[in-house]
Amino acid sequence: MRLGPRYDLRPDSGLPLPAYWRERTADARPGAEVPGGGPRLLDAACGYWARRGLPCRAGHVLAAPGAEPLLFALLAAVDGDPVLARPAPAWQAPVARLLGRRVHTAPTPPEGGVPDPFALLETVRRARAAGADPRLLVLSAADDPTGTVTAPELLHETCEAAAEAGLLIVSDETYSDTLHHRDTVLLSPAEMLPDHTVVLADLGATLVPAAVPAALARFPATAHGAAWRERALDVLAALRAVLPYPVAAATGYVLTEPAEVTDRTAAANRLHARTAAAAFRAITGAGATCRPPRAGFQLYPTLPAPGLDAAALEERLTAALGYPVLGGHRFGDDPDEPRVRISTGHLHGATEDERRVALAAPDPLAVPHVVAALAALAVAVSGHATGYPEGGSGPARGAVGESAGIGESAGIGESADIGESADTGSRGRGT
């Protein structure tokens, strides 16, 4: 299966298209929004940020058709190179390289998330000693690819290190509204370094259908922040990176978070928590090692797969499961390590009807097609952990799940405590 250069780089949320989105886009007039977003959309975005403890004015916000053009505009508006976490979302480094920027990476600690503060300082020191010019740190406290959430103490230390190194921060908070636990505490760098942080959020993880590019950026309320925003807006205008009116109208509506939207967000988070917990049990029971998921709809396991590197494992598991599985090399990780990111949204079903059933089910782990998909995942991971012969692709998705023993041995049919504690509020951040 050939992976496309854009949408396949993101984890699939596995959610059906909501009726209110279809209605709002159908009723909107044709045409395109102004670059950066019109007043109605930006006012709705300000309300969205304010409910998350980050108040702002419309002049501090930009909207764009996806996180890629928005990050491109942010990077083009400042001098110097970006520093990324290792691993980092697979789409970030290619965007920076389009500008001819050198990408520096700083490793994350074992618990995942943002760069280790000492490693960050050493990365910047070495880069500057070699004549490079790192100026900006891109991080994600609720992380892709690992699905982890950075502890406030570590995030604070990393932000302090960034300030010491003179780095501006772009905080990718795309998955901040997808926490699996009520008691998870998630902070934003904008709460720690408000004058030096731009917050970026791709709405396709939560409020907007995944196939619809729509993203927001919130800038510091400073002269520097205003200048940064204006330069980024110029870049978006030059690229004609604008939202179509139907998308802008529907996005403005969901950003106000009426009850039908927050109810769906809560239901989606419960589903993500339950299926991610079950997938975690399945793959670790099949021999993989993996960090427990705390946000989003992705897992990042390492398989004991002798003779397979990340690219080979990506190819084998993609063929075995019938949906894209991305190797760790795409996230800046060691290409020799047999590590992959698995999107748990694929477990919800392959059709809109299947995904609606999974989303509405009181217990999604009792839905037959979810049980079958989890069993297929366990078998595929187990087979590749022990090493398929060259040319073998493992079991096909439709051929597993028929044996109850597969699901039972992986713990697939059990109720997941993690799902019972999933956040049902609209805010996403732990309190």
Side-chain angles (χ1 to χ4, degrees), residues 277-279 281-282 285 365 374 405-416:
R281 291 195 302 270
L365 303 186
L374 283 162
I406 294 174
E408 290 167 4
S409 66
I412 291 170
E414 300 171 3
S415 242

Side-chain angles (χ1 to χ4, degrees), residues 215-242:
L216 301 175
R218 175 192 178 273
F219 291 79
T222 62
H224 172 79
W228 193 354
R229 179 189 182 276
E230 288 305 308
R231 292 194 297 270
L233 177 58
D234 288 343
V235 175
L236 293 175
L239 296 174
R240 297 186 67 187
V242 296

Side-chain angles (χ1 to χ4, degrees), residues 16-409:
L17 185 71
Y20 55 76
W21 182 269
R22 187 181 297 107
E23 293 165 1
R24 294 283 167 168
T25 52
D27 293 341
R29 61 189 173 118
E33 186 82 313
V34 298
R40 186 172 299 179
L41 176 59
L42 297 186
D43 285 344
C46 288
Y48 167 87
W49 291 123
R51 288 188 294 276
R52 286 151 180 80
L54 299 174
C56 58
R57 297 178 180 176
H60 302 155
V61 179
L62 286 179
E68 291 90 344
L70 198 45
L71 180 62
F72 183 93
L74 292 173
L75 295 177
V78 297
D79 295 326
D81 303 328
V83 180
L84 306 183
R86 187 169 72 247
W91 60 271
Q92 291 179 353
V95 169
R97 293 189 179 109
L98 285 174
L99 289 164
R101 303 291 174 84
R102 182 175 176 182
V103 176
H104 310 276
T105 63
T108 62
E111 59 268 26
V114 305
D116 175 87
F118 299 104
L120 173 62
L121 289 173
E122 182 63 12
T123 297
V124 172
R125 184 192 68 78
R126 291 186 178 185
R128 288 174 176 164
D133 187 24
R135 295 281 191 90
L136 186 145
L137 171 64
V138 184
L139 53 76
S140 304
D143 185 49
D144 174 32
T146 65
T148 58
V149 175
T150 302
E153 296 80 9
L154 174 59
L155 182 63
H156 191 272
E157 292 172 359
T158 299
C159 287
E160 286 185 334
E164 181 180 339
L167 301 176
L168 298 169
I169 294 176
V170 173
S171 177
D172 181 356
E173 301 188 6
T174 294
Y175 298 98
S176 293
D177 285 351
T178 65
L179 302 185
H180 295 180
H181 295 277
R182 292 181 184 275
D183 58 353
T184 298
V185 177
L186 173 63
L187 298 181
S188 168
E191 300 174 76
M192 303 174 184
L193 296 175
D195 293 345
H196 301 281
T197 301
V198 170
V199 180
L200 174 68
D202 190 317
L203 301 176
T206 49
L207 297 179
V208 168
V212 178
L216 301 175
R218 175 192 178 273
F219 291 79
T222 62
H224 172 79
W228 193 354
R229 179 189 182 276
E230 288 305 308
R231 292 194 297 270
L233 177 58
D234 288 343
V235 175
L236 293 175
L239 296 174
R240 297 186 67 187
V242 296
L243 292 170
Y245 273 136
V247 172
T251 301
Y253 172 72
V254 298
L255 284 171
T256 65
E257 296 182 296
E260 63 178 342
V261 173
T262 57
D263 288 348
R264 177 185 165 87
T265 301
N269 284 349
R270 287 192 294 269
L271 177 62
H272 293 320
R274 297 297 297 278
T275 54
F280 173 79
R281 291 195 302 270
I283 63 175
T284 54
T289 58
C290 185
R291 298 162 182 162
R294 293 290 178 260
F297 26 90
Q298 60 267 13
L299 300 171
Y300 196 54
T302 302
L303 275 63
L308 294 182
D309 59 15
L313 189 59
E314 171 187 287
E315 181 179 356
R316 298 273 186 106
L317 285 178
T318 294
L321 293 168
Y323 51 78
V325 175
L326 300 189
H329 60 296
R330 295 183 180 267
F331 307 98
D333 237 340
D334 184 349
D336 292 329
E337 288 291 326
R339 189 173 296 125
V340 293
R341 188 197 66 192
I342 298 172
S343 300
T344 59
H346 290 290
L347 305 172
H348 304 161
T351 67
E352 282 284 291
D353 287 343
E354 286 183 344
R355 292 179 173 197
R356 287 192 187 94
V357 169
L359 182 61
D363 181 8
L365 303 186
V367 175
H369 70 260
V370 175
V371 173
L374 283 162
L377 177 61
V379 171
V381 169
S382 178
H384 286 87
T386 56
Y388 274 102
E390 188 65 33
S393 62
R397 180 180 176 182
V400 297
E402 299 175 0
S403 168
I406 294 174
E408 290 167 4
S409 66

